[in-house]
């Protein structure tokens, strides 16, 4: 398994993983990723800007996550307090794993791999993520990955007529020191 930046050739598999994720959430009656979000335009934007990472095994995409530099408009309204200041963080969005491999711990592996990648950049002070209050599976993965709950985030792209608030989380980024070459 390898974490790498997504390429446009990965788009069909990424789209299918997102569609499967939407169906999985709907089957659990979780009001997250309903309607048009996330859509093809968002996925293409993430890939073209180098935000999207995929967990791959050979040519098969097992999972996808977008790591987007702050400030993130979604995180401007937090009923709580972030651990870091604006602009010093990466926001993780559109996290999903293949329906063909559900139940194999891939969400945790995906999170760990992207956190390891982000730890290589000392300018990143924190990593933020949010999820629906009823998405207990994602909450488990987020907490298991060392994130701490920071409050509630107003969802800006919700197609739900009622205002939606997700649980916000943040983890301080602890950059790794690479050994110096002799």
């Amino acid at each position: 398994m390898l974490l790498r930046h997504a390429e446009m050739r990965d788009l069909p598999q990424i789209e299918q993983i997102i569609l499967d994720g939407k169906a999985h959430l709907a089957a659990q009656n979780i009001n997250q990723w309903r309607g048009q979000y996330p859509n093809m335009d968002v996925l293409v934007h993430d890939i073209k800007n180098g935000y999207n990472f995929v967990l791959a095994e050979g040519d098969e995409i097992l999972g996808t996550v977008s790591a987007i530099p702050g400030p993130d408009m979604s995180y401007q309204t937090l009923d709580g307090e972030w651990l870091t200041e604006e602009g010093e963080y990466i926001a993780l969005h559109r996290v999903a794993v293949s329906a063909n491999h559900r139940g194999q711990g891939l969400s945790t592996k995906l999170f760990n791999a992207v956190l390891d990648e982000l730890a290589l950049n000392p300018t990143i002070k924190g990593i933020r993520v949010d999820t629906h209050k009823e998405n207990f599976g994602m909450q488990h993965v987020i907490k298991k990955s060392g994130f701490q709950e920071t409050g509630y985030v107003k969802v800006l792209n919700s197609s739900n007529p009622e205002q939606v608030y997700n649980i916000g989380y943040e983890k301080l980024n602890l950059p790794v020191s690479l050994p110096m070459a002799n």
Side-chain angles (χ1 to χ4, degrees), residues 5-11 14 40-53 66:
H5 279 281
E7 301 171 7
M8 287 308 294
R9 67 183 172 91
D10 301 322
L11 185 59
I14 293 169
M40 184 67 83
D41 291 341
V42 172
L43 302 177
V44 168
H45 177 268
D46 286 355
I47 294 170
K48 285 186 174 181
N49 285 285
Y51 300 150
N52 189 263
F53 288 91
S66 290

Side-chain angles (χ1 to χ4, degrees), residues 88 117-126 173-176:
E88 297 181 333
E117 180 71 23
L118 295 174
L120 297 173
N121 186 338
T123 64
I124 299 168
K125 305 295 183 217
N173 190 38
L174 303 174
V176 296

Side-chain angles (χ1 to χ4, degrees), residues 84-103:
T84 58
E85 299 295 321
E86 287 302 312
E88 297 181 333
Y89 64 89
I90 294 288
L92 301 181
H93 290 295
R94 297 174 279 290
V95 180
V97 297
S98 169
N100 299 330
H101 299 282
R102 231 176 246 131

Side-chain angles (χ1 to χ4, degrees), residues 147-163:
F147 286 79
Q148 109 181 37
E149 189 174 320
T150 56
Y152 288 90
V153 176
K154 186 190 309 184
V155 178
L156 300 177
N157 58 10
S158 174
S159 56
N160 188 336
E162 296 179 25
Q163 185 57 59

Side-chain angles (χ1 to χ4, degrees), residues 159-172:
S159 56
N160 188 336
E162 296 179 25
Q163 185 57 59
V164 176
Y165 290 88
N166 282 352
I167 303 171
Y169 298 87
E170 189 166 21
K171 174 184 173 81
L172 294 178

Side-chain angles (χ1 to χ4, degrees), residues 6-145:
E7 301 171 7
M8 287 308 294
R9 67 183 172 91
D10 301 322
L11 185 59
Q13 288 186 78
I14 293 169
E15 181 185 29
Q16 187 58 55
I17 289 171
I18 294 294
L19 291 172
D20 290 344
K22 287 174 127 180
H24 186 63
L25 290 167
Q28 297 174 78
N29 204 27
I30 298 171
N31 190 14
Q32 185 175 8
W33 286 9
R34 298 285 176 102
Q36 298 301 310
Y37 178 85
N39 59 37
M40 184 67 83
D41 291 341
V42 172
L43 302 177
V44 168
H45 177 268
D46 286 355
I47 294 170
K48 285 186 174 181
N49 285 285
Y51 300 150
N52 189 263
F53 288 91
V54 292
L55 190 62
E57 192 162 66
D59 291 334
E60 184 179 12
I61 305 301
L62 306 175
T64 178
V65 59
S66 290
I68 304 168
D72 184 316
M73 292 308 296
S74 299
Y75 295 158
Q76 301 298 312
T77 57
L78 176 73
D79 181 11
E81 189 173 335
W82 294 113
L83 304 177
T84 58
E85 299 295 321
E86 287 302 312
E88 297 181 333
Y89 64 89
I90 294 288
L92 301 181
H93 290 295
R94 297 174 279 290
V95 180
V97 297
S98 169
N100 299 330
H101 299 282
R102 231 176 246 131
Q104 298 176 11
L106 286 180
S107 294
T108 299
K109 289 176 184 175
L110 177 62
F111 258 77
N112 289 339
V114 79
L115 291 172
D116 287 348
E117 180 71 23
L118 295 174
L120 297 173
N121 186 338
T123 64
I124 299 168
K125 305 295 183 217
I127 300 133
R128 297 178 183 179
V129 66
D130 67 278
T131 195
H132 193 277
K133 63 184 178 185
E134 294 174 4
N135 192 341
F136 301 118
M138 183 55 67
Q139 289 175 38
H140 173 75
V141 171
I142 291 168
K143 291 175 188 173
K144 185 177 177 181
S145 298

